[in-house]
Amino acid sequence: MAWQEWLDEYYTLYQKGLVSPTIKESLIAFHDLCLKVRESGNKLMLAGNGASASIASHGAVDFTKQGKTRAVDFNEPNLITCLSNDYGYENFMAKAVEFYGEEGDVLVLISVSGNSKNAVNAAKYAKTRGIKVVTFTGSAPDNALRALADIDFWIGSRAYNVVEGLHMIWLTTVVDMLVGKYEYSVT
């Protein structure tokens, strides 16, 4: 295998996402929304499945600590298993939003496919409550989650690690925008 060529193609996928004008617009819009959340004392609620759940957890910590914007994630095993057992796995995120969401909060959903039923159901429920929805998706441009977004982060790729890597970069970029600089002490 010609690894140099493979790596060039692989990192081209990242470059496409990093330099997209629509992503820059979304970064600014999400930053501005986070400022409103912070000023009002509301919170971000983050959720995803698998590695996207890990990205959500990382984001919740960074938004809270560095970005001074309260954030929670729905990755507590007791919460997931309780709500999944009682309401079905496809509804656990929506039920978490029902129990934890308040007017003025923002729901951030992360899904490579954009078609995870639990994330889509959570977005639909949030919309009925007037909760803004920010989505991080990949794959097809017409995925169900993306269609429900108030602010949309999308990369047209099915390369899971690339999509998840870009989601993490975009999420933490907004944290650094809230800090106002990209090099700083985290203590």
Side-chain angles (χ1 to χ4, degrees):
M1 174 169 278
W3 285 113
Q4 292 296 332
E5 184 180 328
W6 188 93
L7 288 168
D8 289 343
E9 291 175 17
Y10 186 76
Y11 285 112
T12 296
L13 294 172
Y14 278 97
Q15 290 171 340
K16 285 181 190 176
L18 289 174
V19 298
S20 165
T22 57
I23 291 301
K24 290 179 182 177
E25 292 170 13
S26 294
L27 290 166
I28 293 166
F30 188 26
H31 166 266
D32 294 348
L33 182 59
C34 288
L35 285 179
K36 289 178 186 172
V37 167
R38 181 167 68 188
E39 290 166 4
S40 67
N42 284 98
K43 67 185 168 300
L44 302 174
M45 299 175 290
L46 293 89
N49 295 300
S52 296
S54 297
I55 294 167
S57 290
H58 184 138
V61 169
D62 284 2
F63 275 105
T64 301
K65 185 175 179 241
Q66 278 87 262
K68 308 296 185 233
T69 305
R70 268 188 332 133
V72 298
D73 66 72
F74 299 143
N75 294 337
E76 171 60 41
N78 295 343
L79 178 71
I80 295 169
T81 57
C82 170
L83 298 180
S84 295
N85 184 63
D86 293 350
Y87 304 104
Y89 187 74
E90 71 279 4
N91 296 311
F92 104 81
M93 289 182 192
K95 291 309 267 186
V97 173
E98 179 182 337
F99 293 135
Y100 290 96
E102 300 170 333
E103 185 178 334
D105 287 348
V106 172
L107 179 61
V108 179
L109 295 165
I110 307 165
S111 170
V112 172
S113 72
N115 290 316
S116 297
K117 288 182 184 179
N118 54 6
V120 171
N121 289 343
K124 287 178 180 177
Y125 176 76
K127 296 298 230 176
T128 69
R129 294 264 311 273
I131 293 172
K132 296 240 185 249
V133 176
V134 177
T135 64
F136 291 79
T137 65
S139 301
D142 61 348
N143 69 69
L145 190 56
R146 185 178 188 210
L148 296 165
D150 292 296
I151 299 174
D152 163 48
F153 292 87
W154 174 77
I155 181 72
S157 176
R158 296 188 195 298
Y160 264 75
N161 287 327
V162 172
V163 174
E164 290 168 347
L166 286 169
H167 288 171
M168 178 62 92
I169 290 169
W170 293 331
L171 200 63
T172 56
T173 296
V174 175
V175 171
D176 289 345
M177 291 169 75
L178 290 167
V179 172
K181 52 189 168 183
Y182 43 84
E183 289 198 34
Y184 52 88
S185 173
V186 294
T187 56

